[in-house]
Amino acid sequence: MKYKLFGGAKGRLLTIIHSVALIALAACALIMFFYYNSHTRRTVQAERENYISEISDQLTRNIDNLQNSYAREVRNGARALFYIRPETLADIGSALPDRENAVHYLVTSDGRMIDYLGRICTLSDEVYANRIAISGDDDVVMTYTTVNLAKDCLIFGTRIQPLTVGGTTCVGWAVGVTSEQFRQNMTISLFNRLGAGYLITKDGTIVAKPN
């Protein structure tokens, strides 16, 4: 049996087909939008992660270079003391002067740290001086500590041949670098100043951060 559609019925059928087609098209467009939006987010996220990874690698190299520079300074200073054999702290200050962001210390045989003026310096890392005294030849011992309850420093130290200076026996030599020095060299602005780099120790202490 054959059926014939009259004009009104045919029009309604076409309307239904047209509506279904529009709904299907809208659904496809919506699915494509969510797919490409998700793909774009993943791409942007991957680019950010790669960028941060590259910056991290660059900062790690900078930190290593800066640490190696101060480690060499400490070793060279220890060798210089061996050859100079200074008798007073003033002699050491003349040969190996302090700088704006780097202060030198001597480690005494009784575990104290003194500066060029003979002042005893207190460290939040109370065993650091002893660690230097028992370290191996040419080893550099590093710590991040607060000096005199006021200034955060990275200190690099090494053991030296016992040396009597002004009646005090010294067994170690160290240089303290202010965290500001690392901050100036290590921090970097990220994502149009919406982010920043931090230098963090293994225990979660922030060593260098933006001003």
Side-chain angles (χ1 to χ4, degrees), residues 164-189:
T164 301
V165 180
T168 300
T169 301
C170 299
V171 296
W173 165 256
V175 57
V177 186
T178 63
S179 57
E180 177 63 28
Q181 176 74 359
F182 271 76
R183 181 182 297 119
Q184 291 172 358
N185 286 276
M186 298 301 114
T187 53
I188 186 170
S189 178

PDB file of all heavy atoms in Angstrom, residues 164-189:
ATOM      1  N   THR A 164      97.252  29.679  64.662  1.00  0.00           N
ATOM      2  CA  THR A 164      97.077  30.517  65.854  1.00  0.00           C
ATOM      3  C   THR A 164      97.061  31.986  65.446  1.00  0.00           C
ATOM      4  O   THR A 164      98.030  32.504  64.892  1.00  0.00           O
ATOM      5  CB  THR A 164      98.204  30.285  66.876  1.00  0.00           C
ATOM      6  OG1 THR A 164      98.207  28.898  67.259  1.00  0.00           O
ATOM      7  CG2 THR A 164      98.000  31.140  68.110  1.00  0.00           C
ATOM      8  N   VAL A 165      95.935  32.618  65.701  1.00  0.00           N
ATOM      9  CA  VAL A 165      95.759  34.028  65.335  1.00  0.00           C
ATOM     10  C   VAL A 165      95.374  34.797  66.586  1.00  0.00           C
ATOM     11  O   VAL A 165      94.323  34.540  67.191  1.00  0.00           O
ATOM     12  CB  VAL A 165      94.658  34.196  64.262  1.00  0.00           C
ATOM     13  CG1 VAL A 165      94.501  35.668  63.909  1.00  0.00           C
ATOM     14  CG2 VAL A 165      94.981  33.376  63.035  1.00  0.00           C
ATOM     15  N   GLY A 166      96.252  35.712  66.998  1.00  0.00           N
ATOM     16  CA  GLY A 166      95.971  36.508  68.199  1.00  0.00           C
ATOM     17  C   GLY A 166      95.752  35.650  69.427  1.00  0.00           C
ATOM     18  O   GLY A 166      94.908  35.977  70.273  1.00  0.00           O
ATOM     19  N   GLY A 167      96.472  34.554  69.518  1.00  0.00           N
ATOM     20  CA  GLY A 167      96.359  33.683  70.686  1.00  0.00           C
ATOM     21  C   GLY A 167      95.221  32.686  70.612  1.00  0.00           C
ATOM     22  O   GLY A 167      95.029  31.885  71.541  1.00  0.00           O
ATOM     23  N   THR A 168      94.439  32.695  69.527  1.00  0.00           N
ATOM     24  CA  THR A 168      93.318  31.770  69.360  1.00  0.00           C
ATOM     25  C   THR A 168      93.641  30.763  68.264  1.00  0.00           C
ATOM     26  O   THR A 168      94.065  31.143  67.163  1.00  0.00           O
ATOM     27  CB  THR A 168      92.031  32.529  68.982  1.00  0.00           C
ATOM     28  OG1 THR A 168      91.710  33.470  70.019  1.00  0.00           O
ATOM     29  CG2 THR A 168      90.865  31.566  68.807  1.00  0.00           C
ATOM     30  N   THR A 169      93.439  29.488  68.554  1.00  0.00           N
ATOM     31  CA  THR A 169      93.687  28.449  67.553  1.00  0.00           C
ATOM     32  C   THR A 169      92.471  28.309  66.644  1.00  0.00           C
ATOM     33  O   THR A 169      91.346  28.097  67.115  1.00  0.00           O
ATOM     34  CB  THR A 169      93.984  27.096  68.229  1.00  0.00           C
ATOM     35  OG1 THR A 169      95.123  27.233  69.071  1.00  0.00           O
ATOM     36  CG2 THR A 169      94.263  26.027  67.179  1.00  0.00           C
ATOM     37  N   CYS A 170      92.702  28.448  65.352  1.00  0.00           N
ATOM     38  CA  CYS A 170      91.621  28.364  64.365  1.00  0.00           C
ATOM     39  C   CYS A 170      91.805  27.117  63.503  1.00  0.00           C
ATOM     40  O   CYS A 170      92.922  26.782  63.108  1.00  0.00           O
ATOM     41  CB  CYS A 170      91.617  29.606  63.476  1.00  0.00           C
ATOM     42  SG  CYS A 170      91.359  31.155  64.400  1.00  0.00           S
ATOM     43  N   VAL A 171      90.687  26.444  63.229  1.00  0.00           N
ATOM     44  CA  VAL A 171      90.750  25.194  62.466  1.00  0.00           C
ATOM     45  C   VAL A 171      89.861  25.218  61.224  1.00  0.00           C
ATOM     46  O   VAL A 171      89.782  24.229  60.501  1.00  0.00           O
ATOM     47  CB  VAL A 171      90.337  24.005  63.357  1.00  0.00           C
ATOM     48  CG1 VAL A 171      91.316  23.822  64.504  1.00  0.00           C
ATOM     49  CG2 VAL A 171      88.907  24.197  63.882  1.00  0.00           C
ATOM     50  N   GLY A 172      89.203  26.327  60.980  1.00  0.00           N
ATOM     51  CA  GLY A 172      88.324  26.401  59.819  1.00  0.00           C
ATOM     52  C   GLY A 172      88.205  27.815  59.291  1.00  0.00           C
ATOM     53  O   GLY A 172      88.492  28.797  59.996  1.00  0.00           O
ATOM     54  N   TRP A 173      87.768  27.894  58.058  1.00  0.00           N
ATOM     55  CA  TRP A 173      87.638  29.181  57.354  1.00  0.00           C
ATOM     56  C   TRP A 173      86.326  29.156  56.588  1.00  0.00           C
ATOM     57  O   TRP A 173      85.964  28.139  55.990  1.00  0.00           O
ATOM     58  CB  TRP A 173      88.838  29.339  56.412  1.00  0.00           C
ATOM     59  CG  TRP A 173      88.729  30.398  55.354  1.00  0.00           C
ATOM     60  CD1 TRP A 173      88.483  30.206  54.026  1.00  0.00           C
ATOM     61  CD2 TRP A 173      88.901  31.795  55.531  1.00  0.00           C
ATOM     62  NE1 TRP A 173      88.486  31.405  53.364  1.00  0.00           N
ATOM     63  CE2 TRP A 173      88.746  32.404  54.268  1.00  0.00           C
ATOM     64  CE3 TRP A 173      89.168  32.602  56.638  1.00  0.00           C
ATOM     65  CZ2 TRP A 173      88.838  33.774  54.077  1.00  0.00           C
ATOM     66  CZ3 TRP A 173      89.273  33.964  56.452  1.00  0.00           C
ATOM     67  CH2 TRP A 173      89.111  34.542  55.192  1.00  0.00           C
ATOM     68  N   ALA A 174      85.579  30.248  56.613  1.00  0.00           N
ATOM     69  CA  ALA A 174      84.255  30.254  55.971  1.00  0.00           C
ATOM     70  C   ALA A 174      83.936  31.616  55.382  1.00  0.00           C
ATOM     71  O   ALA A 174      84.496  32.639  55.794  1.00  0.00           O
ATOM     72  CB  ALA A 174      83.179  29.862  56.986  1.00  0.00           C
ATOM     73  N   VAL A 175      83.033  31.593  54.421  1.00  0.00           N
ATOM     74  CA  VAL A 175      82.511  32.838  53.856  1.00  0.00           C
ATOM     75  C   VAL A 175      80.991  32.773  53.910  1.00  0.00           C
ATOM     76  O   VAL A 175      80.384  31.763  53.535  1.00  0.00           O
ATOM     77  CB  VAL A 175      83.014  33.070  52.407  1.00  0.00           C
ATOM     78  CG1 VAL A 175      82.642  31.901  51.511  1.00  0.00           C
ATOM     79  CG2 VAL A 175      82.451  34.364  51.836  1.00  0.00           C
ATOM     80  N   GLY A 176      80.383  33.831  54.409  1.00  0.00           N
ATOM     81  CA  GLY A 176      78.926  33.912  54.495  1.00  0.00           C
ATOM     82  C   GLY A 176      78.379  34.833  53.425  1.00  0.00           C
ATOM     83  O   GLY A 176      78.818  35.976  53.287  1.00  0.00           O
ATOM     84  N   VAL A 177      77.446  34.331  52.662  1.00  0.00           N
ATOM     85  CA  VAL A 177      76.848  35.087  51.560  1.00  0.00           C
ATOM     86  C   VAL A 177      75.398  35.396  51.918  1.00  0.00           C
ATOM     87  O   VAL A 177      74.624  34.481  52.229  1.00  0.00           O
ATOM     88  CB  VAL A 177      76.896  34.280  50.244  1.00  0.00           C
ATOM     89  CG1 VAL A 177      76.413  35.133  49.085  1.00  0.00           C
ATOM     90  CG2 VAL A 177      78.304  33.747  50.002  1.00  0.00           C
ATOM     91  N   THR A 178      75.032  36.645  51.885  1.00  0.00           N
ATOM     92  CA  THR A 178      73.669  37.006  52.251  1.00  0.00           C
ATOM     93  C   THR A 178      72.670  36.426  51.255  1.00  0.00           C
ATOM     94  O   THR A 178      72.972  36.266  50.072  1.00  0.00           O
ATOM     95  CB  THR A 178      73.495  38.531  52.306  1.00  0.00           C
ATOM     96  OG1 THR A 178      73.730  39.074  50.990  1.00  0.00           O
ATOM     97  CG2 THR A 178      74.469  39.156  53.292  1.00  0.00           C
ATOM     98  N   SER A 179      71.471  36.110  51.755  1.00  0.00           N
ATOM     99  CA  SER A 179      70.436  35.589  50.863  1.00  0.00           C
ATOM    100  C   SER A 179      70.068  36.622  49.803  1.00  0.00           C
ATOM    101  O   SER A 179      69.602  36.278  48.713  1.00  0.00           O
ATOM    102  CB  SER A 179      69.194  35.187  51.672  1.00  0.00           C
ATOM    103  OG  SER A 179      68.704  36.276  52.419  1.00  0.00           O
ATOM    104  N   GLU A 180      70.304  37.905  50.105  1.00  0.00           N
ATOM    105  CA  GLU A 180      70.045  38.963  49.131  1.00  0.00           C
ATOM    106  C   GLU A 180      70.899  38.779  47.887  1.00  0.00           C
ATOM    107  O   GLU A 180      70.454  39.022  46.764  1.00  0.00           O
ATOM    108  CB  GLU A 180      70.324  40.335  49.756  1.00  0.00           C
ATOM    109  CG  GLU A 180      70.169  41.519  48.811  1.00  0.00           C
ATOM    110  CD  GLU A 180      68.746  41.675  48.301  1.00  0.00           C
ATOM    111  OE1 GLU A 180      67.808  41.264  49.017  1.00  0.00           O
ATOM    112  OE2 GLU A 180      68.586  42.197  47.186  1.00  0.00           O
ATOM    113  N   GLN A 181      72.143  38.319  48.098  1.00  0.00           N
ATOM    114  CA  GLN A 181      73.031  38.073  46.962  1.00  0.00           C
ATOM    115  C   GLN A 181      72.442  37.002  46.048  1.00  0.00           C
ATOM    116  O   GLN A 181      72.445  37.149  44.827  1.00  0.00           O
ATOM    117  CB  GLN A 181      74.406  37.630  47.471  1.00  0.00           C
ATOM    118  CG  GLN A 181      75.402  37.255  46.381  1.00  0.00           C
ATOM    119  CD  GLN A 181      75.949  38.462  45.649  1.00  0.00           C
ATOM    120  OE1 GLN A 181      75.569  39.591  45.934  1.00  0.00           O
ATOM    121  NE2 GLN A 181      76.797  38.225  44.676  1.00  0.00           N
ATOM    122  N   PHE A 182      71.906  35.945  46.636  1.00  0.00           N
ATOM    123  CA  PHE A 182      71.272  34.902  45.825  1.00  0.00           C
ATOM    124  C   PHE A 182      69.981  35.411  45.218  1.00  0.00           C
ATOM    125  O   PHE A 182      69.641  35.073  44.083  1.00  0.00           O
ATOM    126  CB  PHE A 182      71.006  33.665  46.682  1.00  0.00           C
ATOM    127  CG  PHE A 182      72.146  32.700  46.694  1.00  0.00           C
ATOM    128  CD1 PHE A 182      73.283  32.963  47.434  1.00  0.00           C
ATOM    129  CD2 PHE A 182      72.101  31.543  45.950  1.00  0.00           C
ATOM    130  CE1 PHE A 182      74.350  32.086  47.450  1.00  0.00           C
ATOM    131  CE2 PHE A 182      73.163  30.648  45.951  1.00  0.00           C
ATOM    132  CZ  PHE A 182      74.290  30.924  46.704  1.00  0.00           C
ATOM    133  N   ARG A 183      69.254  36.227  45.957  1.00  0.00           N
ATOM    134  CA  ARG A 183      67.997  36.767  45.446  1.00  0.00           C
ATOM    135  C   ARG A 183      68.233  37.587  44.180  1.00  0.00           C
ATOM    136  O   ARG A 183      67.491  37.486  43.206  1.00  0.00           O
ATOM    137  CB  ARG A 183      67.322  37.622  46.519  1.00  0.00           C
ATOM    138  CG  ARG A 183      65.983  38.214  46.084  1.00  0.00           C
ATOM    139  CD  ARG A 183      65.377  39.098  47.157  1.00  0.00           C
ATOM    140  NE  ARG A 183      65.072  38.326  48.343  1.00  0.00           N
ATOM    141  CZ  ARG A 183      65.606  38.537  49.537  1.00  0.00           C
ATOM    142  NH1 ARG A 183      66.504  39.504  49.702  1.00  0.00           N
ATOM    143  NH2 ARG A 183      65.268  37.803  50.562  1.00  0.00           N
ATOM    144  N   GLN A 184      69.268  38.395  44.188  1.00  0.00           N
ATOM    145  CA  GLN A 184      69.558  39.241  43.034  1.00  0.00           C
ATOM    146  C   GLN A 184      69.925  38.411  41.812  1.00  0.00           C
ATOM    147  O   GLN A 184      69.616  38.781  40.678  1.00  0.00           O
ATOM    148  CB  GLN A 184      70.711  40.204  43.366  1.00  0.00           C
ATOM    149  CG  GLN A 184      70.355  41.264  44.384  1.00  0.00           C
ATOM    150  CD  GLN A 184      71.569  42.068  44.818  1.00  0.00           C
ATOM    151  OE1 GLN A 184      72.692  41.816  44.388  1.00  0.00           O
ATOM    152  NE2 GLN A 184      71.353  43.052  45.666  1.00  0.00           N
ATOM    153  N   ASN A 185      70.575  37.286  42.022  1.00  0.00           N
ATOM    154  CA  ASN A 185      71.055  36.481  40.919  1.00  0.00           C
ATOM    155  C   ASN A 185      70.095  35.384  40.487  1.00  0.00           C
ATOM    156  O   ASN A 185      70.132  34.956  39.336  1.00  0.00           O
ATOM    157  CB  ASN A 185      72.392  35.821  41.294  1.00  0.00           C
ATOM    158  CG  ASN A 185      73.533  36.809  41.290  1.00  0.00           C
ATOM    159  OD1 ASN A 185      74.117  37.088  40.267  1.00  0.00           O
ATOM    160  ND2 ASN A 185      73.836  37.358  42.464  1.00  0.00           N
ATOM    161  N   MET A 186      69.232  34.943  41.391  1.00  0.00           N
ATOM    162  CA  MET A 186      68.443  33.752  41.121  1.00  0.00           C
ATOM    163  C   MET A 186      66.978  34.008  40.801  1.00  0.00           C
ATOM    164  O   MET A 186      66.375  33.247  40.063  1.00  0.00           O
ATOM    165  CB  MET A 186      68.516  32.792  42.316  1.00  0.00           C
ATOM    166  CG  MET A 186      69.915  32.287  42.606  1.00  0.00           C
ATOM    167  SD  MET A 186      70.620  31.411  41.211  1.00  0.00           S
ATOM    168  CE  MET A 186      71.962  32.516  40.795  1.00  0.00           C
ATOM    169  N   THR A 187      66.358  35.006  41.392  1.00  0.00           N
ATOM    170  CA  THR A 187      64.924  35.182  41.184  1.00  0.00           C
ATOM    171  C   THR A 187      64.654  35.714  39.786  1.00  0.00           C
ATOM    172  O   THR A 187      65.451  36.416  39.200  1.00  0.00           O
ATOM    173  CB  THR A 187      64.316  36.145  42.223  1.00  0.00           C
ATOM    174  OG1 THR A 187      65.068  37.363  42.220  1.00  0.00           O
ATOM    175  CG2 THR A 187      64.353  35.541  43.598  1.00  0.00           C
ATOM    176  N   ILE A 188      63.507  35.343  39.253  1.00  0.00           N
ATOM    177  CA  ILE A 188      63.147  35.734  37.897  1.00  0.00           C
ATOM    178  C   ILE A 188      61.634  35.918  37.812  1.00  0.00           C
ATOM    179  O   ILE A 188      60.875  35.185  38.432  1.00  0.00           O
ATOM    180  CB  ILE A 188      63.634  34.677  36.879  1.00  0.00           C
ATOM    181  CG1 ILE A 188      63.381  35.154  35.448  1.00  0.00           C
ATOM    182  CG2 ILE A 188      62.989  33.324  37.128  1.00  0.00           C
ATOM    183  CD1 ILE A 188      64.049  34.282  34.411  1.00  0.00           C
ATOM    184  N   SER A 189      61.205  36.915  37.063  1.00  0.00           N
ATOM    185  CA  SER A 189      59.776  37.166  36.907  1.00  0.00           C
ATOM    186  C   SER A 189      59.211  36.257  35.822  1.00  0.00           C
ATOM    187  O   SER A 189      59.802  36.093  34.754  1.00  0.00           O
ATOM    188  CB  SER A 189      59.545  38.631  36.541  1.00  0.00           C
ATOM    189  OG  SER A 189      58.181  38.890  36.342  1.00  0.00           O
TER     190      SER A 189
END
